[in-house]
Amino acid sequence: MKRIFLSALGILSLIQLHAQSASDSSGYKSKKLTLDEVNLVSSYYNQTGNNAAVTGGIGSEKLNDISNIIDVKFIRYDKKNRRHILDAALGIDHYTSASSDLIDLKANSSASHADTRIYPDISYSVENETKGTTIGAGLSASSEFDYKSFGGNITVAKKTNDKNGEFTAKVQVYLDKVSLVLPVELRPVTSGRENNYPTTARNTYAASLSYSQIINQNLQVAFFADFIQQQGYLSLPFHRVYFKDGSVHQENLPNTRSKLPLAVRANYFLGDNIILKAYYRFYTDNWGLTAHTANIEMPVKITPFFSVSPFYRFYTQTAIKYFGKYQTQSATNVYHSSNYDLSAFNSNFLGAGFKFNPLKGVFGLKHFNSLEIRYGHYAKNNQMNANIISLNIKYK
Amino acid sequence: MKKTRILKLMCACCIFVITTLSASSCTTVKAYQKAKLNDAEMTLGNRKVEKTELSFQSYREGASGANAGKSGGGCGCN
């Protein structure tokens, strides 16, 4: 945690030396692309549990993950007073996983016990404040040892005439490559290099629609609908499934999956110091999984420069049709999985965030706009538990 | 049964709050009246600090999307 904080502070200090502000108090709008905001998000996540999919639904799920994301936003205004926004982010995750280590059951701290994921993304949008329109496009990538992903998206948005409502449509495509890293006992005997795994495709196509509406000076709501279609290799090759007869197999799931999440969000400013934020999502897909998510958060402004935000999230889902526990499935099932993330469970996520945004900047540093720390405890009713602590430093 | 009851209660509360507050009518709010709506905490999207939370939830749960977790890309295998 100390290392995360110090590295974040170091990066922001360097930026402070070189950057110039995109706007000033006179309201001048820069015609050049100028730095508007830098966000650094760091988090530490750990989990425990005893239903690892790598070992067929039994065994340790112990996992630790450290994430660092730097997000830089530039803004410029053109001759027609349209706002151009360039947003670039780079994320790096490093994790250690007890179950991944057991792709080779005889290994102890094998190569698969840890991995690093790098995920850059960039987006560009143009907002016409007069017409109330926004168009944008983005590219993203993600790379780890056994998985590569490349994504693209296009967004269009239009505000209502009174500027109190906005309709947004977004299409996204992800073209992924999964390396076929099998459990070691299921690998064919070959004379090739061990790290030269074949790959297969997994593609995701998503259309997202949303509509936000200001109801009055204190309340705004938004409705969201996604239509997601996945095709290709949707199993994970190193997930084991143990049949009733004790034989071991790879997880096998259908090659297509259609998902439909629908959600509503409402934010209400109660009085002068309290905000109520509510979110509800219904989700269904053609694998038989139905889920409900309800989230409530209540930021309380203790002072104008310090707020506390307790939150609670409840989640419940049914199992996919192909799920079975350790040694409960048989060869008559074409599709089978012992991944408990796709089983029936409910979970509770509870925590709080603390945000500091002093007028003169955090620690008196003018551009060090805000510091936010957030902690949450997550518990499933199948004994999986996790903790996450996140830190967001904003430079503006 | 307990989880269903909790969920129904939470949904009912959310619907009650939204409808009650909406009942105060949907009025046109001018730019100068949007001080509270423009507060950083009032944003209808996810905040940066929630990014990694949403990421782990989309790995550990079967559902994602609709303004809560990405709909594709990455792995989800760890």
Side-chain angles (χ1 to χ4, degrees):
Chain A
M1 186 64 206
K2 190 179 171 186
R3 198 182 298 171
I4 292 170
F5 185 77
L6 288 174
S7 61
L9 208 60
I11 290 168
L12 287 175
S13 305
L14 282 173
I15 291 165
Q16 181 142 16
L17 286 174
H18 296 287
Q20 58 181 109
S21 179
S23 59
D24 58 32
S25 55
S26 67
Y28 168 75
K29 291 177 174 178
S30 174
K31 297 286 188 268
K32 288 180 183 173
L33 203 60
T34 47
L35 183 65
D36 178 60
E37 175 177 315
V38 180
N39 278 280
L40 197 110
V41 180
S42 292
S43 74
Y44 173 72
Y45 168 82
N46 72 46
Q47 71 172 43
T48 56
N50 286 301
N51 297 114
V54 176
T55 39
I58 55 169
S60 174
E61 291 178 82
K62 194 174 178 189
L63 185 143
N64 293 294
D65 182 281
I66 293 175
S67 299
N68 282 293
I69 303 163
I70 184 162
D71 189 321
V72 186
K73 186 175 161 188
F74 296 90
I75 289 182
R76 82 174 178 90
Y77 288 84
D78 64 15
K79 289 175 183 172
K80 292 181 179 174
N81 208 29
R82 291 177 302 196
R83 188 161 68 151
H84 295 244
I85 301 170
L86 173 66
D87 201 319
L90 176 67
I92 300 174
D93 290 3
H94 182 77
Y95 75 86
T96 57
S97 164
S99 66
S100 296
D101 195 24
L102 295 173
I103 291 171
D104 180 351
L105 287 167
K106 291 174 188 165
N108 185 11
S109 290
S110 64
S112 60
H113 88 285
D115 199 5
T116 299
R117 182 168 82 97
I118 299 174
Y119 45 104
D121 73 68
I122 188 163
S123 66
Y124 194 87
S125 64
V126 182
E127 184 183 349
N128 187 324
E129 289 176 27
T130 315
K131 290 183 179 175
T133 57
T134 304
I135 55 168
L139 293 171
S140 65
S142 173
S143 175
E144 56 193 306
F145 175 75
D146 60 338
Y147 203 92
K148 307 277 181 280
S149 173
F150 181 76
N153 65 74
I154 295 172
T155 306
V156 291
K158 175 84 174 91
K159 284 186 177 159
T160 54
N161 290 338
D162 64 4
K163 304 274 194 293
N164 281 354
E166 185 173 33
F167 174 77
T168 306
K170 185 176 187 177
V171 288
Q172 298 171 87
V173 176
Y174 293 97
L175 306 173
D176 300 357
K177 287 279 180 200
V178 187
S179 295
L180 297 174
V181 182
L182 275 63
V184 75
E185 68 274 26
L186 296 176
R187 289 178 199 172
V189 179
T190 58
S191 55
R193 284 175 55 212
E194 256 196 29
N195 286 342
N196 197 14
Y197 299 103
T199 61
T200 187
R202 176 190 295 178
N203 299 331
T204 304
Y205 310 95
S208 305
L209 301 174
S210 68
Y211 180 75
S212 62
Q213 176 67 47
I214 292 170
I215 306 294
N216 57 42
Q217 291 180 43
N218 296 311
L219 175 68
Q220 54 190 354
V221 297
F223 302 91
F224 305 91
D226 286 1
F227 307 93
I228 303 160
Q229 179 70 23
Q230 287 191 299
Q231 291 173 350
Y233 190 81
L234 303 182
S235 317
L236 279 168
F238 48 83
H239 282 179
R240 292 178 177 87
V241 177
Y242 289 92
F243 285 0
K244 284 176 187 169
D245 62 6
S247 59
V248 60
H249 302 263
Q250 269 183 281
E251 178 182 74
N252 188 30
L253 291 167
N255 287 336
T256 60
R257 188 178 184 187
S258 304
K259 306 176 181 179
L260 178 68
L262 304 167
V264 58
R265 196 183 278 282
N267 290 351
Y268 182 68
F269 215 118
L270 184 69
D272 292 328
N273 302 314
I274 298 173
I275 296 165
L276 287 173
K277 303 171 77 168
Y279 174 83
Y280 168 76
R281 178 182 64 192
F282 168 76
Y283 170 97
T284 186
D285 67 30
N286 65 343
W287 286 7
L289 193 149
T290 300
H292 301 272
T293 310
N295 192 89
I296 191 148
E297 184 168 351
M298 192 176 74
V300 179
K301 293 176 184 292
I302 308 294
T303 75
F305 315 115
F306 174 60
S307 63
V308 179
S309 308
F311 62 86
Y312 172 67
R313 177 181 184 272
F314 178 78
Y315 174 85
T316 183
Q317 73 175 40
T318 59
I320 60 166
K321 291 180 274 190
Y322 319 111
F323 175 79
K325 293 180 180 177
Y326 178 74
Q327 290 195 337
T328 59
Q329 305 194 67
S330 65
T332 54
N333 303 329
V334 176
Y335 300 115
H336 39 258
S337 172
S338 293
N339 181 355
Y340 274 68
D341 296 335
L342 301 174
S343 68
F345 67 85
N346 61 59
S347 69
N348 296 284
F349 185 48
L350 182 70
F354 304 88
K355 188 175 180 181
F356 308 86
N357 54 340
L359 198 60
K360 291 180 179 175
V362 180
F363 303 133
L365 299 168
K366 186 183 164 192
H367 293 293
F368 191 169
N369 181 268
S370 67
L371 172 69
E372 189 167 4
I373 296 170
R374 197 169 146 101
Y375 168 78
H377 176 73
Y378 180 84
K380 286 184 185 177
N381 65 340
N382 61 19
Q383 308 306 314
M384 197 222 99
N385 289 286
N387 296 287
I388 184 166
I389 184 161
S390 307
L391 174 76
N392 177 203
I393 298 173
K394 186 196 278 187
Y395 169 93
K396 198 171 171 67
Chain B
M1 286 307 288
K2 191 183 172 189
K3 69 177 183 185
T4 315
R5 247 184 289 140
I6 293 170
L7 189 72
K8 280 181 179 172
L9 187 66
M10 286 188 72
C11 291
C13 287
C14 289
I15 292 165
F16 174 77
V17 169
I18 291 167
T19 49
T20 306
L21 298 173
S22 302
S24 60
S25 82
C26 185
T27 54
T28 297
V29 179
K30 305 287 183 193
Y32 64 86
Q33 296 172 316
K34 292 183 180 175
K36 286 182 175 175
L37 297 171
N38 290 335
D39 188 284
E41 296 286 1
M42 284 289 281
T43 181
L44 286 164
N46 294 303
R47 289 173 303 130
K48 305 278 183 190
V49 74
E50 295 174 86
K51 197 175 171 92
T52 50
E53 280 176 15
L54 293 166
S55 183
F56 98 74
Q57 286 161 3
S58 64
Y59 289 171
R60 292 287 76 95
E61 298 170 349
S64 64
N67 201 232
K70 60 185 182 178
S71 49
C75 180
C77 49
N78 54 352

